[in-house]
Amino acid sequence: MAMWSRDIERSLYKLKFMKDKARETSIKTVKELGKPPVDPTPRIDQFLERFFIEPVNMDPSGIVWKFDHLLDVRDLSMKDEVRRIAPEADDSTLNNLENLLEAAMDLNLIYRTVKHYYLFGKRTKSYIIIAQLHMLLPIIMESAAAYEGAIQAFSTGQPIGDGAGPLLANKLLRGKEFKKIEKDMIVGETEIEGRKVYVLKAEGPGGNVGKPGDALTILLNSLNQRPSLVIMVDAALKFEGENTGDVAEGIGAAIGGVGTERFKIEEVAYKYKIPLFAVVIKESLKEAIAPMKKEIYEGVEKAIERVKRIIRENTKEGETVIIAGIGNTIGIAQ
Amino acid sequence: MEEKKEAMSLMNLLLLILLIIFVFMLLGRSLFSNSQMQPENSTMMFLGFLGILLIVFALLRLLTRVPTPTQKITLTVLQCTKCAFKSIRNFQVGDYIPKIVGNCPSCGGPFRIEAIYVEEKTQKRKIPF
Ligand SMILES: [Zn+2]
């Protein structure tokens, strides 16, 4: 038990260092980009202690919409708060700052949780709690390290690994017209081998994931012709030992998050009886929120070929296809 | 940081060499002294063998040490939209894909940010299974 405790303590020191650094970076970046009239430190400290209460799931019917509503409110209030902290920032900087503060908030939460269970286990001399905490330590430290990488990306506004989907959408839409379709989402029209293709992505270059579920629903409701295929492109977690940037394909809605967007996409695809294909670019959790690696960039190029092949094999010329590039679009505009 | 690390490993190497010399001196004196087996001789021999063990361990650690990753740099790849002219520079805050930054030095067409990525220069160890 003494050995475990020592390991946990060492990790706690590391976590404390990480979260303090994240806080420093946040304050520095907010001061640089937001030019607040007063010192933002107390407001940022309050921001880092924010929490979110999930809706009760005893009676699960209809929970998706409650979740969706609460997430909307959370998103809006956080944006408002960031705007108050950093009044001079433009829209895309605002999104980046919000992402940055969120990552710092998550690091803070990890630190507080580990500290809580450690002190609680020690106080009650509970051998089992300490043991469990010690077992989970590698996973916890891995995700904390991932958030640390995210802090760098969000403070400078460079693309992250999760941006693979939006990057593919951007590459397909080069030089094409696009319009805003829903809050933070854009749609553009292009042509691939004789098929009319609608491409969805979140609005960049600020850090943003948008609401692909709502955007897809609105798009499908507005089209006269039923599309014969929806292809979702996203970054997906690879298994340990697999190569970063490998491309795989499958069936279903490829999208992460709490599940509200996935639910909406599955609903609308079922309503119109449209086949859902998924193409994923493999990366680890750490790579997904750290600055984009070259392997992932090359993976996006491979994914474009894969998407074209799927379109060729599953549709005929003159038909309509929708491609949705899912992920955080930081550093990637339209 | 890097320099400090380098100095540290140099210090380690120096210490190791000193240890080797010391151990061989001990062993040499205990094995090749022409006097009879005396208590201090066997102590020296014991210490010498302990030293050899230590050296073997240190060498093993040196050999199996995982190569530390070299620094990561974020690169911005710029490409002309008219001709195929390409250039790579370090990432600057404010860069995004596909921002137009000035004109192509070769033909004067719009110069676009094609990619932003991190390049790592580490040799990956191949997993044999
Ligand atoms: Zn040119």
Side-chain angles (χ1 to χ4, degrees):
Chain A
M1 179 147 161
M3 236 158 73
W4 292 339
S5 293
R6 213 178 46 232
D7 274 355
I8 296 168
E9 255 172 47
R10 210 180 299 137
S11 300
L12 264 171
Y13 276 121
K14 246 185 252 165
L15 282 173
K16 186 168 187 305
F17 177 73
M18 282 173 173
K19 77 138 206 213
D20 285 341
K21 213 173 92 191
R23 180 175 165 270
E24 292 305 316
T25 313
S26 306
I27 293 170
K28 207 181 106 221
T29 316
V30 164
K31 276 182 182 164
E32 247 167 50
L33 302 173
K35 310 222 166 34
V38 289
D39 185 26
T41 311
R43 282 309 274 266
I44 288 174
D45 283 336
Q46 280 169 30
F47 192 97
L48 296 182
E49 298 276 318
R50 276 181 157 239
F51 56 85
F52 176 71
I53 303 166
E54 292 181 5
V56 64
N57 56 9
M58 270 187 284
D59 180 16
S61 97
I63 192 175
V64 172
W65 305 109
K66 289 184 210 161
F67 226 127
D68 198 45
H69 168 69
L70 287 178
L71 286 173
D72 274 352
V73 174
R74 171 176 182 261
D75 195 46
L76 247 140
S77 82
M78 286 216 293
K79 261 198 191 123
D80 280 348
E81 180 71 18
V82 176
R83 195 170 283 128
R84 274 191 289 269
I85 298 174
E88 294 278 298
D90 58 62
D91 272 357
S92 74
T93 314
L94 211 70
N95 282 330
N96 290 354
L97 286 178
E98 192 203 332
N99 278 242
L100 172 66
L101 285 169
E102 251 182 283
M105 195 166 90
D106 286 331
L107 259 181
N108 193 31
L109 185 66
I110 292 175
Y111 165 73
R112 283 166 58 212
T113 314
V114 173
K115 191 171 113 186
H116 167 74
Y117 282 111
Y118 175 60
L119 293 180
F120 182 71
K122 271 205 110 162
R123 179 163 63 79
T124 54
K125 295 196 174 52
S126 169
Y127 176 62
I128 294 296
I129 288 176
I130 299 281
Q132 279 178 311
L133 188 57
H134 187 256
M135 282 173 212
L136 287 174
L137 220 52
I139 299 169
I140 295 171
M141 294 312 284
E142 181 87 1
S143 55
Y147 281 115
E148 214 188 10
I151 299 282
Q152 192 216 324
F154 290 137
S155 61
T156 55
Q158 53 181 302
I160 57 173
D162 190 39
L167 181 61
L168 181 133
N170 167 264
K171 277 178 171 283
L172 294 176
L173 281 182
R174 289 283 164 83
K176 298 283 191 293
E177 291 284 302
F178 60 85
K179 63 171 197 278
K180 204 161 171 162
I181 185 166
E182 212 269 327
K183 189 179 139 264
D184 299 332
M185 291 292 290
I186 63 115
V187 62
E189 212 184 304
T190 179
E191 206 192 84
I192 296 175
E193 303 189 15
R195 283 84 165 166
K196 196 180 193 182
V197 178
Y198 291 97
V199 182
L200 284 169
K201 79 181 272 296
E203 192 178 17
N208 212 341
V209 289
K211 299 189 86 184
D214 290 347
L216 188 68
T217 311
I218 293 171
L219 180 64
L220 283 174
N221 287 337
S222 71
L223 290 180
N224 305 321
Q225 191 191 2
R226 189 186 77 101
S228 23
L229 198 60
V230 172
I231 304 174
M232 302 185 69
V233 185
D234 194 7
L237 283 193
K238 65 167 188 164
F239 286 117
E240 205 62 46
E242 285 182 336
N243 287 330
T244 301
D246 277 359
V247 177
E249 63 186 81
I251 304 297
I255 182 166
V258 275
T260 52
E261 295 307 302
R262 199 164 105 202
F263 177 87
K264 290 179 206 160
I265 290 167
E266 285 162 0
E267 278 269 299
V268 73
Y270 171 70
K271 183 179 157 201
Y272 289 102
K273 304 279 185 301
I274 304 171
L276 260 181
F277 277 67
V279 172
V280 298
I281 295 128
K282 293 187 191 174
E283 50 197 75
S284 69
L285 173 71
K286 210 167 160 177
E287 287 162 343
I289 55 178
M292 187 186 281
K293 278 187 172 177
K294 195 179 182 190
E295 290 92 330
I296 299 171
Y297 182 80
E298 287 162 353
V300 170
E301 275 161 356
K302 278 183 260 168
I304 290 180
E305 292 312 310
R306 197 68 81 92
V307 166
K308 282 184 180 163
R309 203 200 72 207
I310 292 174
I311 293 176
R312 248 196 326 268
E313 288 171 356
N314 293 285
T315 62
K316 287 192 269 302
E317 276 188 33
E319 291 184 336
T320 309
V321 177
I322 296 175
I323 298 173
I326 309 296
N328 192 322
T329 191
I330 185 164
I332 303 163
Q334 289 72 31
Chain B
M1 189 70 201
E2 282 298 303
E3 270 172 37
K4 212 171 157 192
K5 239 181 207 165
E6 214 122 276
M8 281 267 284
S9 66
L10 214 75
M11 268 284 279
N12 282 342
L13 211 69
L14 215 77
L15 276 175
L16 196 67
I17 290 167
L18 275 177
L19 188 70
I20 290 172
I21 293 169
F22 182 65
V23 162
F24 277 96
M25 264 168 60
L26 277 177
L27 276 180
R29 278 200 53 188
S30 62
L31 287 178
F32 303 114
S33 63
N34 33 20
S35 59
Q36 293 299 312
M37 263 303 215
Q38 271 160 10
E40 65 259 38
N41 263 359
S42 54
T43 316
M44 265 193 256
M45 205 143 101
F46 176 71
L47 275 175
F49 277 117
L50 218 70
I52 284 184
L53 263 175
L54 224 93
I55 290 165
V56 168
F57 265 123
L59 280 177
L60 270 177
R61 275 204 49 187
L62 267 179
L63 286 178
T64 55
R65 199 168 49 180
V66 193
T68 42
T70 41
Q71 84 242 46
K72 300 176 196 172
I73 21 164
T74 309
L75 299 172
T76 299
V77 180
L78 301 140
Q79 197 170 14
C80 174
T81 48
K82 292 253 170 68
C83 63
F85 188 81
K86 222 174 173 182
S87 87
I88 298 178
R89 63 162 165 80
N90 282 344
F91 173 82
Q92 291 164 4
V93 176
D95 281 0
Y96 63 82
I97 304 170
K99 189 182 182 186
I100 305 280
V101 276
N103 292 321
C104 167
S106 159
C107 75
F111 216 34
R112 187 166 64 189
I113 294 179
E114 188 65 29
I116 299 168
Y117 52 66
V118 175
E119 205 163 24
E120 261 176 82
K121 289 191 184 76
T122 34
Q123 292 107 330
K124 256 203 193 146
R125 276 189 302 170
K126 261 249 180 331
I127 297 165
F129 42 83

